[in-house]
Amino acid sequence: MFLVITYDVPSERTEIYKKLLVKFLTHEQNSVFAGDLTDSRYRKLRAALVRVAEPGDRLLQFQTANRHNLRAVSLVKNEGNGALEEKELLHHSMGSLIL
């Protein structure tokens, strides 16, 4: 499965989530992580999130069967003409097989 997780937590807790999520997903920007996970790795991630989550922590998850069912792009402002350009996010492989 392809997964995107983002979080909004008190500043003193951001490092907890960053250290955890980087073990499973690619760190895209600040509190945004994405990547391919097997079902087993996903269950491990969810179990780890249960251990660190506290009431009031906000986690947002986007999930799809595989990366081919979702187009993920980064919007980058062109320094020359100021237009927003789409940059494909193709580097999310974590060495996992998608079945």
Side-chain angles (χ1 to χ4, degrees), residues 38-70:
T38 62
D39 288 339
S40 173
R41 292 281 292 161
Y42 176 69
R43 285 190 301 275
K44 289 178 183 177
L45 170 59
R46 288 296 296 250
L49 287 170
V50 166
R51 288 191 297 273
V52 301
E54 292 184 356
D57 288 355
R58 294 178 42 186
L59 300 167
L60 183 59
Q61 173 180 300
F62 298 93
Q63 178 180 336
T64 184
N66 61 58
R67 69 175 51 251
H68 305 292
N69 295 335
L70 174 74

Side-chain angles (χ1 to χ4, degrees), residues 4-20:
V4 176
I5 294 183
T6 184
Y7 57 84
D8 181 14
V9 299
S11 59
E12 64 271 7
R13 298 186 43 72
T14 58
E15 199 62 28
I16 294 169
Y17 280 97
K18 182 179 176 183
K19 285 181 181 180
L20 169 64

